[in-house]
Amino acid sequence: MARWKGQTRGGTAGYLFFIYMIRYLGIGAAYGFLSLVVLYFIPFAPKATAATWRYARQTLGRNRWKSACLLLRNYYRLGQILIDKVAIGNGMVSKYHFEFEQYPRFLEVLNSGQGVIMIGAHVGNWEIGAPFFDDYGKKINIVMYDAEHQRIKELLEKSDRPYKVIPVNEDNLTHVFRITEALRQKEYVCFQGDRYLNQEKLLTCTFMGRVAAFPAGPFLLASRLKVPVVFYFAMREKGRTYRFHFAVADEAVRSRSAKPEQALLEQYVAALEGIVNRYPEQWFNYYPFWQLPQTTVSN
């Protein structure tokens, strides 16, 4: 089955090129050059292009013309978000605007004196909120697949990155102990809830009208450890504006129809579906997301 391999597309030379362009020519120049990169990626990233085309046609129900337009906007928006991430990481926060939804409730959870699990997705620009966590950022641990982490680690480690990274390696369970220890220390652990590597540890749920598989780990941990859970998305809007969406999950309890982890997943999927419907061009899963593996675990 074609699925995500735990690694984001993009070469070292490409990342370096945009880093130096932003530093010496400015953000606007990087956006301008991005148009050429978009035209390159459409034919030369056929699997990603095909996945986005299927998403537009089958999931969103767009016609061919609207699907082509969404494909262009999707690649361009992804490039903008990567540029913004580098720019803000290099101290250019003042060039952007930020809006917040449910922020007081989110801070209330962070100040509750407990460990907190935050679950996001590969939509928008998840890491863009790091500068706004201030002292909270020192307690943030982002769980990241090791292949993805190592690929650009050397390029971005000089940036002002307040959070810590917990790399996931399929060959051992070190990350599990680090996650539980961080929560025991009343820190915050952040997951992306929409990608998986282990096909034997999955949950399924109807998402955007079709059944899809999600990693069981974040939802199982959150339901077993009884810590507060927040769904968090940072979405790009016009005028270099980012809007932060926070949704505090209800306590996950077992019912006749679902285990606690399944109940939590359904809350997450409802929140994610609302975001994707509002920002359809910011869906950045470039593989057959709705193609189920042979082995799945559900309620």
Side-chain angles (χ1 to χ4, degrees), residues 40-270:
Y40 164 83
F41 264 91
I42 289 177
F44 290 103
K47 292 182 180 179
T49 297
T52 304
W53 182 261
R54 284 192 298 269
Y55 160 70
R57 295 282 286 159
Q58 299 175 10
T59 305
L60 300 179
R62 303 285 176 88
N63 61 30
R64 291 180 179 274
W65 169 250
K66 290 183 178 179
S67 295
C69 291
L70 184 134
L71 177 62
L72 289 168
R73 290 200 308 272
N74 176 269
Y75 275 147
Y76 189 80
R77 187 67 86 194
L78 175 64
Q80 280 186 316
I81 280 171
L82 294 175
I83 288 169
D84 295 344
K85 187 183 298 186
V86 173
I88 290 176
N90 281 272
M92 302 182 186
V93 178
S94 62
K95 297 183 181 294
Y96 294 85
H97 307 283
F98 304 92
E99 303 289 341
F100 303 87
E101 295 188 4
Q102 302 294 324
Y103 195 50
R105 178 73 180 102
F106 174 58
L107 291 183
E108 184 181 320
V109 172
L110 295 189
N111 290 324
S112 66
Q114 304 176 71
V116 177
I117 286 179
M118 289 188 278
I119 307 179
H122 290 81
V123 297
N125 195 348
W126 208 89
E127 290 181 41
I128 211 74
F132 301 97
F133 288 116
D134 298 323
D135 289 339
Y136 296 108
K138 299 173 184 177
K139 298 171 67 176
I140 289 177
N141 301 265
I142 295 182
V143 180
M144 186 179 297
Y145 287 104
D146 194 48
E148 196 169 30
H149 174 229
Q150 295 296 332
R151 187 172 183 85
I152 60 173
K153 175 183 175 183
E154 297 82 3
L155 300 178
L156 300 180
E157 62 185 4
K158 293 182 180 180
S159 300
D160 183 17
R161 189 180 68 182
Y163 55 84
K164 294 167 279 188
V165 172
I166 298 178
V168 174
N169 191 319
E170 285 191 289
D171 296 331
N172 59 64
L173 296 176
T174 302
H175 61 280
V176 176
F177 296 109
R178 292 184 61 182
I179 289 167
T180 53
E181 177 62 18
L183 293 171
R184 191 184 68 81
Q185 295 291 336
K186 301 179 181 180
E187 296 188 349
Y188 320 125
V189 177
C190 308
F191 294 91
Q192 301 288 47
D194 58 336
R195 289 186 186 173
Y196 61 87
L197 286 178
N198 192 334
Q199 296 186 38
E200 297 179 356
K201 296 180 180 179
L202 302 178
L203 297 171
T204 58
C205 190
T206 299
F207 170 58
M208 300 295 289
R210 302 164 64 192
V211 177
F214 296 84
F219 308 100
L220 191 60
L221 270 174
S223 61
R224 295 282 174 85
L225 296 176
K226 305 295 184 182
V227 296
V229 178
V230 178
F231 307 134
Y232 160 57
F233 311 97
M235 310 307 294
R236 198 184 198 282
E237 297 182 346
K238 294 180 180 179
R240 292 186 192 172
T241 296
Y242 279 91
R243 183 173 298 276
F244 299 96
H245 301 260
F246 303 99
V248 179
D250 296 330
E251 182 180 356
V253 296
R254 180 184 293 271
S255 67
R256 290 184 178 181
S257 60
K259 295 178 181 179
E261 59 268 26
Q262 183 72 30
L264 185 60
L265 170 65
E266 290 172 2
Q267 291 186 60
Y268 168 78
V269 165

Side-chain angles (χ1 to χ4, degrees), residues 274-288:
I275 291 294
V276 174
N277 281 323
R278 187 169 172 179
Y279 305 91
E281 79 285 356
Q282 295 187 49
W283 174 252
F284 302 130
N285 281 305
Y286 296 115
Y287 65 100

